[in-house]
Amino acid sequence: MTHQDHPTVWIPLSDGTRLAARIWRPETNTPVPAILEFLPYRRRDVTAPRDEATYPALAAQGFAGVRVDLRGTGDSDGHFDDEYSETELSDAEATIAWIAQQPWCNGHVGMMGISWGGFNALQVAARQPPALKAVISIASTVDRFADDIHTKGGAQMGTNLYWATQMLGRAAVPPDAAVVGSGWRAQWLDRLENMPSLAFKWIAHQRRDDYWQHGSICEDFSAIEVPALMIAGWADGYRNTPWKAREGLGDKARSVTGPWVHLYPHFAVPGPRMDFVAEAASWFGQHLRGDEAPDLPAHRMFLSEGVRPDAPRDAEPGRWIEIDQTQETATVLRLSPGMLGPETTTETATLRSPLDTGVDGGAFFTQGGDTDLPADQRADDGRSLCFETEALSDPLDIIGTPVLRLPIAFDAPQGNLIARLVDVHPDGCAHRITMGVLNLSHRHGSADPQPMTPGQSEDITLTLDATAYRLLPGHKLRLALSTAYFPLILPPPTDVTAQIDLAQAALHLPSAPYRDCDVAEPPAGDPRPDYPRQTPAEDSRTTQFNRTTGQTTIVQSSTTGVRSHPEHGLTFEDTHKARWSITRGDPLSLEAHEETSALRIRDGIATEVIATGRLRATATHWIVEARLAAKENDKLIFERNWSEHIPRDHV
């Protein structure tokens, strides 16, 4: 089926604001169902390649695709305020109602997206707009405090500063003059004047309060009445949601978890990929136009095996399985000095990791195949307290969320415990299977964190991220425990030492009945168009250790390269630079610098937005700084600085 491409359609809101949309519609006089994706990421440049790899193909299957810029971003009017704000979600409801009323729509709307769009698809579904009939949520969360880019196990994440800086820069990019006309500059300056720096709000909310409960669908799973297809990747930080959604939504949810990073599964790495267009067309066909229901397994996932972090991750070894989550069982392994197995001991263990433990942990928000993924874990394991099995004589399947239970005492009121499961190959190569984090102040929950009593042992439960992994014969399973995991997890105020009573320590390894299943792969090759380039894309990450000072520094740099859209001619480039450092023995030496810049060129006018973030720490406060600057043809036309000391709240 051929389609029409409408590059800019204006969606009016009741307060006079207009949202900019791109709409792909099948070439037919019959009303069709529509699929909405609602994002702050600029449909004209940033998401254009992935949109053009997806929506024309869905239009060929008889669906209208509606890709909308959020209020105050891209070409849309108004001011951006926060992620998943009341304004954003109510705007989405109004947009769904507008779509349903169009003569080309059959009145049934679906919503889908990855990350931000996956988040708000679930949150809007919980508000029950009448025309919304189904959602697909990819790489999202049901709990904004526990499973997002801000905190993990109650511990502050370094990605909090990274993402706040990214959003400060991304949302502040000007609208396209070719769309909004001669008033683009005034609209841009107004946008800059009203742009919030979200780092301060996100870092200030250090417990699970009303701010994080808003938009967390786990607060009331029953509010979602429409079916939801949940998709995630094991190589991404957002890997728990299919598991939790199946628990909370029950038969309203279906899930697929592949080996992927934070990308749509029809062009993600590692392979094998999934034919997402066919999957989405089947899902929305069933729920938006009454097609025959496909016989979908409730819980499909890729069972990885024998993954090597020292080899290219283009394709992952393993196979697709479907599981029965309700039949989960657990194998209990005990901890004894250096060993993981059936033996018990009466001994205790002392743990104090160097503060740069974790430098090979990779990123939470993974988009690249190499620099973002965890490296060989041998160096980090050497800085950790490790327990491992004998070489396996039979395969060992771990399917579900592993749980570690142990008595632990710290010599300070605050401290973090990080647990990693590692596949140790016969040659010593070590692949991180999954991990979990617990800020011990949050051991009884994150609504009202309580400090530890120094020297007093308490029984704690640490739940690791969901996984589906097979250890092969000849391999060993290693449990690595550490009190640091930098820069993913920020350190507590003191360099803590932990005492663990091994006699009561146990690792619970989950599994569930499964059988092989098929997940269709897309046609070979990356479907995203490759726009004409003036400069190449680049990505690097280096780690430096100064033996004289004990300082470890991680430096990251990436650029999309300068590209031009072949249809409307906008030229664009986005860059990221970061520098994180810490000195062994001194958690207050933490210093982080994040910078993002966005270049746009239209009709000989070059605009650039530069956003920076800086984070330091004292024993009592986080010191946070931000800067937003804008240039037109290299002339500075706007600058704003923020600075605040934020009290540390049991972290």
Side-chain angles (χ1 to χ4, degrees):
M1 183 182 294
T2 58
H3 71 277
Q4 304 170 3
D5 183 352
H6 303 271
T8 300
V9 176
W10 295 105
I11 299 176
L13 301 178
S14 60
D15 65 356
T17 300
R18 300 181 309 164
L19 302 183
R22 184 177 182 181
I23 300 178
W24 295 261
R25 286 169 39 200
E27 195 77 66
T28 178
N29 293 323
T30 303
V32 299
I35 303 168
L36 168 66
E37 189 169 8
F38 202 63
L39 294 174
Y41 299 148
R42 301 180 57 84
R43 77 199 192 289
R44 298 274 283 181
D45 40 61
V46 174
T47 69
R50 82 181 193 201
D51 296 343
E52 292 164 10
T54 306
Y55 287 105
L58 285 170
Q61 299 291 323
F63 300 92
V66 186
R67 168 63 185 87
V68 179
D69 288 340
L70 294 190
R71 179 190 292 255
T73 69
D75 297 320
S76 291
D77 300 343
H79 300 140
F80 171 76
D81 55 359
D82 198 352
E83 58 179 13
Y84 326 124
S85 68
E86 177 62 28
T87 299
E88 173 186 334
L89 300 181
S90 60
D91 283 355
E93 289 186 273
T95 299
I96 290 170
W98 179 89
I99 294 170
Q101 294 167 2
Q102 301 311 298
W104 43 263
C105 179
N106 71 354
H108 293 172
V109 180
M111 201 169 177
M112 79 173 192
I114 183 171
S115 198
W116 196 300
F119 276 58
N120 63 26
L122 292 174
Q123 294 169 25
V124 172
R127 298 164 74 99
Q128 302 178 5
L132 184 65
K133 303 301 181 183
V135 299
I136 298 178
S137 181
I138 309 167
S140 66
T141 191
V142 302
D143 189 333
R144 293 182 58 213
F145 184 81
D147 267 317
D148 196 4
I149 204 164
H150 310 293
T151 60
K152 191 172 183 67
Q156 283 284 308
M157 298 177 69
T159 45
N160 216 357
L161 180 72
Y162 157 76
W163 190 239
T165 307
Q166 287 287 310
M167 283 310 302
L168 179 60
R170 292 185 184 204
V173 177
D176 189 351
V179 173
V180 303
S182 59
W184 71 270
R185 186 179 287 103
Q187 184 176 345
W188 183 31
L189 290 172
D190 178 64
R191 177 175 293 180
L192 291 165
E193 290 284 354
N194 289 279
M195 191 59 56
S197 178
L198 297 174
F200 303 92
K201 181 183 294 186
W202 292 347
I203 293 175
H205 288 274
Q206 297 164 45
R207 57 178 68 191
R208 198 172 190 283
D209 55 16
D210 291 345
Y211 179 78
W212 299 116
Q213 290 170 10
H214 168 78
S216 292
I217 67 164
C218 64
E219 293 292 309
D220 182 10
F221 278 113
S222 67
I224 294 185
E225 297 181 344
V226 299
L229 176 59
M230 314 299 298
I231 301 176
W234 296 131
D236 185 23
Y238 295 101
R239 56 194 285 170
N240 293 315
T241 301
W243 210 268
K244 293 184 177 180
R246 283 285 303 152
E247 291 175 346
L249 295 174
D251 287 339
K252 287 180 288 188
R254 294 289 183 268
S255 75
V256 184
T257 307
W260 314 303
V261 296
H262 195 82
L263 293 172
Y264 267 92
H266 51 315
F267 48 78
V269 294
R273 294 169 173 166
M274 181 179 79
D275 191 343
F276 174 75
V277 171
E279 188 86 17
S282 176
W283 181 257
F284 286 128
Q286 174 189 354
H287 299 294
L288 304 187
R289 66 185 178 201
D291 293 357
E292 183 177 351
D295 184 20
L296 288 181
H299 218 7
R300 288 170 288 168
M301 58 190 62
F302 192 77
L303 182 67
S304 301
E305 63 179 39
V307 176
R308 294 192 67 93
D310 57 354
R313 296 282 294 276
D314 297 330
E316 195 132 301
R319 66 185 191 274
W320 287 103
I321 62 172
E322 58 178 282
I323 74 161
D324 185 349
Q325 185 173 341
T326 65
Q327 301 298 314
E328 182 178 322
T329 59
T331 299
V332 179
L333 299 180
R334 300 292 179 178
L335 282 60
S336 58
M339 299 296 295
L340 192 60
E343 297 85 4
T344 59
T345 182
T346 59
E347 296 190 41
T348 60
T350 301
L351 171 61
R352 182 180 180 182
S353 304
L355 292 174
D356 57 356
T357 304
V359 294
D360 289 328
F364 178 87
F365 187 74
T366 55
Q367 291 199 300
D370 296 321
T371 57
D372 288 351
L373 295 179
D376 193 317
Q377 297 292 286
R378 279 179 280 196
D380 280 337
D381 290 352
R383 304 181 181 106
S384 306
L385 179 63
C386 292
F387 309 86
E388 62 183 49
T389 65
E390 300 285 354
L392 299 173
S393 56
D394 298 305
L396 173 62
D397 293 329
I398 306 173
I399 302 173
T401 52
V403 174
L404 176 66
R405 294 188 173 95
L406 49 77
I408 190 169
F410 277 128
D411 63 350
Q414 280 86 39
N416 298 325
L417 180 66
I418 297 89
R420 292 175 288 115
L421 294 186
V422 178
D423 177 7
V424 182
H425 290 244
D427 64 357
C429 176
H431 166 67
R432 194 185 79 197
I433 301 169
T434 185
M435 66 174 288
V437 177
L438 181 62
N439 170 358
L440 270 293
S441 295
H442 293 241
R443 64 199 179 281
H444 302 306
S446 294
D448 184 24
Q450 299 294 324
M452 297 281 285
T453 300
Q456 178 176 308
S457 181
E458 291 194 45
D459 294 333
I460 62 105
T461 298
L462 192 162
T463 301
L464 284 71
D465 292 335
T467 190
Y469 194 87
R470 165 168 280 199
L471 288 104
L472 299 175
H475 292 226
K476 298 178 182 180
L477 175 65
R478 175 181 294 159
L479 170 65
L481 303 180
S482 62
T483 52
Y485 209 65
F486 182 81
L488 186 64
I489 303 300
L490 302 186
T494 56
D495 191 7
V496 299
T497 299
Q499 295 288 336
I500 300 171
D501 180 2
L502 297 181
Q504 303 300 320
L507 174 66
H508 298 251
L509 296 178
S511 192
Y514 67 83
R515 61 183 180 183
D516 292 351
C517 69
D518 294 323
V519 172
E521 293 192 43
D526 190 331
R528 292 172 294 181
D530 188 13
Y531 300 154
R533 290 183 177 272
Q534 300 175 24
T535 60
E538 297 178 357
D539 191 11
S540 71
R541 177 186 174 112
T542 61
T543 302
Q544 305 162 352
F545 176 61
N546 187 321
R547 293 181 62 186
T548 302
T549 64
Q551 184 182 69
T552 293
T553 304
I554 300 168
V555 179
Q556 295 175 266
S557 177
S558 66
T559 174
T560 62
V562 179
R563 298 176 289 172
S564 297
H565 196 287
E567 295 178 6
H568 55 68
L570 183 67
T571 298
F572 55 100
E573 179 188 32
D574 296 300
T575 65
H576 169 235
K577 298 177 183 177
R579 183 183 181 90
W580 290 73
S581 64
I582 198 163
T583 300
R584 290 187 177 180
D586 183 8
L588 304 184
S589 66
L590 162 71
E591 184 159 358
H593 295 262
E594 289 282 344
E595 178 181 314
T596 183
S597 62
L599 172 70
R600 299 295 185 270
I601 303 174
R602 166 66 73 194
D603 299 330
I605 299 176
T607 63
E608 186 177 14
V609 171
I610 306 102
T612 60
R614 186 185 184 197
L615 177 68
R616 291 169 292 152
T618 70
T620 58
H621 288 77
W622 299 111
I623 305 172
V624 188
E625 301 170 52
R627 175 178 180 265
L628 179 64
K631 297 179 180 180
E632 183 178 340
N633 290 335
D634 288 328
K635 179 182 178 181
L636 185 68
I637 64 167
F638 177 87
E639 183 178 21
R640 183 179 177 186
N641 294 280
W642 295 262
S643 180
E644 190 173 335
H645 285 55
I646 300 173
R648 299 176 71 142
D649 181 8
H650 298 312
V651 292

